[in-house]
Amino acid sequence: KRLIIHGMKEKLFSFVRKNTVMLVALCAAAITVFLVPPDGGYADYFDWKTLTCLFCVLAVVCALRNINFFFVLAERIVERFKNARLCILVLVWITFIGSMLIANDMALLTFLPLGWRVLEHTGKKKYMAFTFIMQNIAANLGGMLTPFGNPQNLFLYSRFEIPTGEFMGIMAPPFVLAVTLISVCCVIFVKPEPLEMQDRPVPLPVGRTILYLILFAFSIIIVFRVIPYWIGLIVIPAVLLFADRKALGAVDYCLLLTFFFFFIFAGNMSRLPVVDRLLRGLLEKNTMLVSILSCQCISNVPSAILLSRFTGDYASLLLGVNIGGVGTLIASLASLITFREYGKHDPGKTWRYLGLFSAFNFSFLAILAVFEMLIR
């Protein structure tokens, strides 16, 4: 009986650690429900298109992960390089590109284990903290260029109906600077030491690979508003129900619930007169700076949802919640994922990791923020 209770406690603690942001969102929503009792206005809180698009992308990405598509693709690229500097550059660039295609958190869940595997099997674990931090920054900043690269992008892109060309034009300057900064860091802090790694090719199932890539393209088309989002909610689950039921079960439903709870929180907060006056006043002075500071305290996704109700300056808000994804450990859900993964592989050096993480993240935050203030 004690073993059963102990096992239940361990599962509970594990769930809390993995889903801290969702539980905070739940508590925040619950508190605001007492301030604004449920009524007909609640129906206007939710952006069902954002939730549907996010679900479709996550489901297809899970299916591709289940056949090791991203792992095999990345592994074959990495194994072409024979020194530590190039290898880590490739790992970081794969994460960067991956975040633009499969969202930042999924990119990290896919490519952080690859980074650990490469460094472990080549005897270069001394670079693990640096590599994980660069992958984390790459995921947060790489995803800024596309509407589906970060969850907050998908939300703002949908809420304000931002034209795709304008969206990418807004984010292109900080994106290019981020690419440059990350590449320079890898060149400076990693030596071109020789590497040796065994080649272990893993075959991909051709039929399922083609099917999932078609579904992925279909989900991206939905994001770009070419096809109504409700069609994706029918087609993608129906196909995966027969092709890969595990993919539907592996979707990060806690992330979807996090959005759901923050919609309630943001909607209720916007109906409080004192909050309305405070946030509108602050955002009128400097939307980007307020967004960045908000991310450092409550993360970028809830910041985007909350602040979008008080400003129409979506360009500054978009910049703020993307640049603000670097900085503190809670500025982005992706950073918490990276910290959790690092702790699995090197639990004795988490404080050193946090020191390096803070040094690099706040440096990137300062440079990008000043850059945007100068060019705007």
Side-chain angles (χ1 to χ4, degrees), residues 321-337:
V321 296
N322 276 277
I323 293 173
V326 293
T328 64
L329 192 63
I330 62 171
S332 170
L333 174 62
S335 298
L336 294 173
I337 291 172

Side-chain angles (χ1 to χ4, degrees), residues 141 144-147 153 156-157 160-177 288 312-323 368 371-373 375-376:
L141 298 181
M144 74 167 77
L145 186 63
T146 60
N153 282 6
L156 294 175
Y157 178 77
F160 292 105
E161 297 186 350
I162 307 171
T164 303
E166 183 182 354
F167 183 103
M168 300 185 77
I170 293 168
M171 301 312 303
F175 174 82
V176 172
L177 178 58
M288 188 183 76
D313 184 5
Y314 58 77
S316 297
L317 180 59
L318 190 61
L319 287 165
V321 296
N322 276 277
I323 293 173
L368 288 167
F371 171 76
E372 277 300 323
M373 289 179 183
I375 67 170
R376 287 176 65 78

Side-chain angles (χ1 to χ4, degrees), residues 112-113 116 119 125-133 335-354 356-357:
L112 284 175
W116 172 81
L119 297 174
K125 285 183 65 177
K126 64 181 180 180
Y127 290 121
M128 191 167 80
F130 173 81
T131 303
F132 271 41
I133 291 166
S335 298
L336 294 173
I337 291 172
T338 305
F339 180 67
R340 185 183 68 196
E341 289 297 312
Y342 181 83
K344 288 180 183 178
H345 301 301
D346 205 355
K349 296 182 178 179
T350 52
W351 284 107
R352 176 178 176 272
Y353 172 87
L354 286 173
L356 286 172
F357 174 91

Side-chain angles (χ1 to χ4, degrees), residues 261-340:
F261 295 139
F262 273 128
F263 280 139
I264 296 174
F265 169 74
N268 285 336
M269 291 293 285
S270 67
R271 292 170 67 179
L272 298 174
V274 63
V275 174
D276 184 275
R277 288 194 299 270
L278 175 64
L279 289 180
R280 286 188 190 279
L282 291 173
L283 289 167
E284 284 176 5
K285 293 179 180 178
N286 195 319
T287 300
M288 188 183 76
L289 183 58
V290 172
S291 304
I292 290 173
L293 293 175
S294 176
C295 291
Q296 306 311 304
C297 301
I298 63 170
S299 188
N300 48 10
V301 172
S303 293
I305 295 173
L306 175 62
L307 299 180
S308 67
R309 290 183 169 270
F310 302 97
T311 181
D313 184 5
Y314 58 77
S316 297
L317 180 59
L318 190 61
L319 287 165
V321 296
N322 276 277
I323 293 173
V326 293
T328 64
L329 192 63
I330 62 171
S332 170
L333 174 62
S335 298
L336 294 173
I337 291 172
T338 305
F339 180 67
R340 185 183 68 196

Side-chain angles (χ1 to χ4, degrees), residues 18-56:
K18 292 179 180 178
N19 301 288
T20 304
V21 177
M22 184 201 72
L23 295 173
V24 170
L26 173 59
C27 292
I31 291 171
T32 61
V33 166
F34 289 102
L35 300 174
V36 183
D39 57 20
Y42 272 55
D44 297 326
Y45 292 173
F46 306 102
D47 188 333
W48 299 111
K49 179 179 179 180
T50 296
L51 291 173
T52 300
C53 291
L54 191 57
F55 168 78
C56 291

